[in-house]
Amino acid sequence: MSHKFNLPARYGTGEKSVWVEYIQLAAEYKPAVNLGQGFPDYHAPEHVTKALAEITTGENPLFNQYTRGFGHPRLVQNLAKLYSPLVGKEIDPNNEILVTSGAYEALFSTIMGHVDEGDEVIVIEPFFDCYEFMIKTAGGIPRCIALKPKATSGTMTSADWVLDEAELVSLFNSKTKMLILNTPHNPLGKVFTAQELETIGNLCKKYNVLCVSDEVYEWMVYAPNKHIRIASMPGMWERTITIGSAGKTFSVTGWKTGWAYGPANLMRNLQVVHQNCVYTCCTPIQEAVARSFEFELSRYNSPECYFFSLARELLSKRDYLVKVLRENGFNPTVPDGGYFIVADWTKLEKKIDLQSESDKYKDYRFTKKFAKEAGVLAIPPSAFYSEDHKHLGENFARFCFIKKDENLALAENLMKEWNAKKK
């Protein structure tokens, strides 16, 4: 009888989640510093958190009740005000924006709403791990292409990780339904250039392919790099769905509020999935995010605007952790955006006994052993590759630097102590 209640085949074997595994690892071994998960360990801007406190206890009882299913009116209006000039098109807040339960649900609704049985989806590796699972669950076929470094030694930046254009071209055919782009990129921090985006865009236009642009790190771009929204490029609005995140924009990842925007005919598919899954998102949080946008839009042209001050705040943290990693035997890729650093750990291989860990991939063994011995938790990047390409991530570990300065300093001390013991 038990087979009757097996997980439905569309979910595969219920593939292991690196997040579930590493949260459990952190709970069990209690590493002193968690540089694994991508969230700040310090407060969001005061006006953001104050807004939510005022809303939940304020005079209007309706802010604690259901709101419009496709997005709280005040929030979609403000999203349209923000993004319309950035993409060079007047966005219709009611038909071209969907508020979702985090960017995660925006991805889910986009993939489920557009990918059909046998459709091929081009995915750039490394990728956020849910992409592949969602594509397969929808009946689609992931076609993966890896960003690869031009060199493996010396000073590296995320711009050194590039796509092979001929390989990219070879993946497009009549079955290609979608390409998923992530810029600024997690975990590499790559900010795709205008030329790279033009190449991708031209192929999407040639083969009539939908581009899904995951841009949750859009405000974390380090000068002189600039974030270019592919939806703003010629001929791309009508075939692009762009995904954003309040959690990343305002440093409140626990609020789990995101959005997608694009042309109404493409957004309708997302609305159908959303209304039959989530239906509507948390009203007080949407109202607080809306007010937060209004506050930042009112000072958009000032250096204090959080959209621009966040990257300046993170730059010193990035540079500090890059220095710490270099001084302790890693070879980090300096990110141009986002808040992660991918670092080659292979110079430390002789200092650490990886045989005591049973995982198949070396980066899992290294990050687990390093967390247990040094007290610093990082994430194994092979989790962000398809099975055929996991070996490309094995020599690296992903570190997050949107952390308190004292915790980054603690990570430095712990790494130094660990290295001193290993001499």
Side-chain angles (χ1 to χ4, degrees):
M1 171 173 159
S2 61
H3 72 277
K4 187 174 183 179
F5 306 107
N6 286 350
L7 189 68
R10 64 181 175 275
Y11 291 109
T13 57
E15 278 66 22
K16 278 170 60 177
S17 165
V18 66
W19 312 113
V20 172
E21 187 175 358
Y22 274 66
I23 289 168
Q24 178 60 36
L25 178 75
E28 190 174 342
Y29 289 94
K30 297 179 174 55
V33 184
N34 183 350
L35 301 185
Q37 286 178 278
F39 58 80
D41 59 1
Y42 53 90
H43 282 296
E46 189 177 17
H47 74 87
V48 177
T49 52
K50 264 191 172 179
L52 182 58
E54 289 167 3
I55 289 158
T56 55
T57 58
E59 293 180 1
N60 190 342
L62 295 181
F63 286 150
N64 289 307
Q65 308 306 326
Y66 294 132
T67 188
R68 176 177 173 269
F70 297 145
H72 188 53
R74 189 171 182 174
L75 177 53
V76 294
Q77 291 286 346
N78 282 304
L79 288 168
K81 281 180 192 172
L82 173 65
Y83 287 116
S84 290
L86 295 176
V87 299
K89 184 191 180 301
E90 200 60 39
I91 298 174
D92 177 351
N94 292 318
N95 295 300
E96 297 184 326
I97 298 174
L98 174 69
V99 177
T100 57
S101 184
Y104 211 97
E105 192 243 314
L107 285 162
F108 180 85
S109 293
T110 301
I111 292 168
M112 293 298 159
H114 280 280
V115 175
D116 211 339
E117 199 73 36
D119 286 341
E120 295 186 4
V121 180
I122 296 171
V123 185
I124 297 169
E125 296 174 302
F127 51 73
F128 192 53
D129 61 327
C130 71
Y131 294 176
E132 183 182 32
F133 186 84
M134 289 177 183
I135 292 163
K136 289 179 176 178
T137 304
I141 302 165
R143 300 290 304 278
C144 299
I145 177 170
L147 290 159
K148 293 177 183 174
K150 296 175 187 173
T152 54
S153 59
T155 301
M156 293 170 59
T157 75
S158 55
D160 293 321
W161 291 71
V162 295
L163 293 174
D164 182 308
E165 192 172 331
E167 185 184 356
L168 179 63
V169 170
S170 74
L171 294 180
F172 282 82
N173 60 69
S174 61
K175 294 179 182 177
T176 309
K177 170 69 74 70
M178 177 186 290
L179 176 142
I180 303 180
L181 169 71
N182 178 207
T183 182
H185 185 273
N186 171 18
L188 293 172
K190 179 180 176 66
V191 177
F192 281 75
T193 65
Q195 185 176 353
E196 289 172 319
L197 294 176
E198 187 177 347
T199 298
I200 290 168
N202 285 342
L203 286 165
C204 288
K205 286 183 280 188
K206 180 179 178 180
Y207 289 90
N208 192 25
V209 168
L210 172 64
C211 179
V212 178
S213 191
D214 180 350
E215 301 183 11
V216 298
Y217 300 99
E218 61 190 315
W219 303 111
M220 300 168 217
V221 177
Y222 309 112
N225 303 284
K226 292 192 184 303
H227 174 55
I228 300 168
R229 293 166 176 82
I230 196 168
S232 70
M233 301 185 78
M236 287 305 292
W237 166 259
E238 52 264 40
R239 63 176 61 259
T240 301
I241 293 170
T242 306
I243 290 168
S245 163
K248 302 300 191 295
T249 298
F250 293 113
S251 297
V252 284
T253 60
W255 287 18
K256 286 298 291 175
T257 299
W259 50 83
Y261 63 86
N265 64 308
L266 297 179
M267 293 301 297
R268 182 183 177 279
N269 296 25
L270 281 67
Q271 291 172 341
V272 170
V273 175
H274 175 84
Q275 75 187 15
N276 290 293
C277 175
V278 175
Y279 170 59
T280 189
C281 297
C282 178
T283 305
I285 287 179
Q286 289 189 74
E287 175 70 14
V289 173
R291 294 185 189 185
S292 301
F293 271 119
E294 282 172 14
F295 185 89
E296 297 302 346
L297 284 166
S298 72
R299 59 176 185 172
Y300 189 80
N301 293 316
S302 77
E304 288 77 33
C305 178
Y306 194 63
F307 300 154
F308 309 110
S309 67
L310 177 58
R312 294 196 305 274
E313 170 193 319
L314 290 176
L315 184 60
S316 59
K317 295 177 184 291
R318 179 199 74 170
D319 292 347
Y320 180 78
L321 188 55
V322 164
K323 178 181 79 73
V324 167
L325 290 167
R326 280 183 181 146
E327 289 174 352
N328 286 281
F330 293 89
N331 184 22
T333 291
V334 182
D336 292 329
Y339 48 52
F340 299 108
I341 296 171
V342 166
D344 187 321
W345 55 266
T346 51
K347 287 181 186 173
L348 299 171
E349 191 160 5
K350 292 177 182 175
K351 295 185 175 186
I352 195 164
D353 176 20
L354 300 182
Q355 301 308 312
S356 58
E357 300 293 335
S358 59
D359 294 83
K360 179 178 179 181
Y361 297 104
K362 285 197 302 182
D363 56 332
Y364 273 81
R365 300 202 299 270
F366 174 80
T367 50
K368 286 180 179 179
K369 194 70 174 175
F370 196 66
K372 294 170 188 177
E373 291 188 357
V376 178
L377 183 68
I379 293 292
S382 67
F384 305 142
Y385 287 86
S386 60
E387 194 63 39
D388 290 345
H389 294 160
K390 284 190 182 295
H391 65 279
L392 297 173
E394 283 192 276
N395 292 340
F396 300 92
R398 190 195 79 168
F399 297 86
C400 176
F401 57 87
I402 189 166
K403 304 295 179 183
K404 292 177 186 173
D405 290 344
E406 55 262 42
N407 282 334
L408 295 174
L410 175 57
E412 177 180 25
N413 292 335
L414 291 168
M415 288 187 203
K416 281 181 177 175
E417 288 171 11
W418 181 84
N419 265 302
K421 290 176 190 171
K422 298 289 182 174
K423 283 182 179 175

